[in-house]
C-alpha cells in the first residue's frame, strides 16, 4: 500500500510539477519563489494525500493561496520601503499608478481573484473552477465578468493618468 501510494505521488509530481511551477512563475516573476510555492503545494498535498479527491485542483488552489501570501508580503515590504524613502526625501514626487495587470489582479477581492487565477492563469475550464471553488458555474461566470469589468476600469484609469 505505502509503495503504491509513493509511486502514485511520484507520478503525479512528474506530471504536474513543471506546469504548476511555470504557472507560479508567471504570477510571482521569480524562479526560486515559484519553485518554493509549487513545492509547498505538493508538500501540503502529500500531508493530506488520503483525503484529497482532486489532487490537481488542490495543488492549484493551494498554490493560488500561497501566491496571494507572497503578494501580501511584497506589498508590506513595498509600503515599508516607500515609508522609509518618503521620510528620507520630503521632496519626492507622487508615484504614477502602475497599470500592471498582475498588480490589479492582486488587488481584486478574493471572491473574484481566485476564479481569475484558476481560469485565466491556470487554464482551467469554468466547470473545473466551479468544482474547486464550490460555486455554481453561473456564479463563476458572473465573478469572472465582474473581475474583468473591475480590471478594465482600473486599466482605463491608470492609462488616463499616464497620458
Amino acid at each position: 500500500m505505502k509503495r503504491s501510494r509513493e509511486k502514485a505521488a511520484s507520478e503525479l509530481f512528474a506530471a504536474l510539477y513543471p506546469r504548476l511551477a511555470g504557472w507560479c512563475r508567471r504570477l510571482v516573476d521569480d524562479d526560486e519563489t515559484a519553485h518554493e510555492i509549487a513545492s509547498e503545494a505538493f508538500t501540503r498535498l502529500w500531508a493530506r494525500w488520503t483525503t484529497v479527491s482532486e489532487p490537481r485542483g488542490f495543488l492549484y488552489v493551494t498554490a493560488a493561496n500561497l501566491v496571494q501570501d507572497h503578494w501580501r508580503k511584497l506589498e508590506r515590504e513595498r509600503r515599508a520601503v516607500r515609508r522609509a524613502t518618503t521620510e528620507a526625501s520630503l521632496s519626492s514626487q507622487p508615484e504614477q499608478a502602475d497599470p500592471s495587470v498582475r498588480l490589479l489582479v492582486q488587488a481584486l477581492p478574493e471572491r473574484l481573484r481566485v476564479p481569475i487565477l484558476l481560469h485565466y492563469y491556470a487554464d482551467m475550464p469554468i466547470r473545473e473552477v466551479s468544482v474547486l471553488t464550490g460555486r455554481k458555474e453561473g456564479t463563476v461566470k458572473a465573478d469572472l465578468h465582474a473581475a474583468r469589468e473591475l480590471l478594465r476600469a482600473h486599466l482605463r484609469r491608470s492609462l488616463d493618468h499616464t497620458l
Side-chain angles (χ1 to χ4, degrees):
M1 173 71 180
K2 184 175 179 173
R3 195 65 156 147
S4 64
R5 177 181 167 211
E6 289 178 4
K7 184 177 184 209
S10 177
E11 288 172 356
L12 185 72
F13 183 85
L16 297 181
Y17 183 83
R19 186 169 177 173
L20 180 66
W23 179 69
C24 292
R25 170 67 176 88
R26 289 194 315 253
L27 295 173
V28 299
D29 281 340
D30 176 53
D31 286 335
E32 185 176 338
T33 303
H35 284 286
E36 286 175 11
I37 289 171
S39 297
E40 179 63 21
F42 270 96
T43 300
R44 291 181 185 189
L45 173 63
W46 180 249
R48 294 166 186 80
W49 185 253
T50 57
T51 61
V52 173
S53 61
E54 178 51 51
R56 180 176 180 261
F58 179 90
L59 287 169
Y60 277 90
V61 170
T62 300
N65 289 334
L66 292 169
V67 164
Q68 180 60 30
D69 290 345
H70 172 74
W71 285 346
R72 282 187 196 117
K73 179 183 172 208
L74 286 179
E75 185 55 34
R76 285 191 304 270
E77 290 171 356
R78 277 190 209 109
R79 280 193 300 251
V81 168
R82 217 176 291 134
R83 274 194 308 270
T85 55
T86 300
E87 291 169 5
S89 166
L90 295 175
S91 63
S92 67
Q93 298 179 358
E95 294 182 25
Q96 291 290 328
D98 183 356
S100 165
V101 173
R102 188 183 56 173
L103 292 176
L104 295 175
V105 169
Q106 175 184 343
L108 289 172
E110 184 175 357
R111 177 182 64 80
L112 302 178
R113 184 180 54 252
V114 171
I116 287 284
L117 290 174
L118 295 175
H119 183 65
Y120 290 108
Y121 288 85
D123 296 324
M124 290 185 184
I126 288 174
R127 181 178 304 124
E128 192 170 349
V129 174
S130 170
V131 169
L132 294 175
T133 60
R135 299 181 197 149
K136 294 180 180 178
E137 286 185 40
T139 303
V140 170
K141 289 177 184 177
D143 288 346
L144 289 170
H145 175 75
R148 285 190 306 268
E149 289 301 313
L150 280 172
L151 294 172
R152 187 176 293 120
H154 285 296
L155 283 170
R156 279 193 187 121
R157 272 198 303 275
S158 294
L159 292 174
D160 287 346
H161 290 304
T162 58
L163 296 177

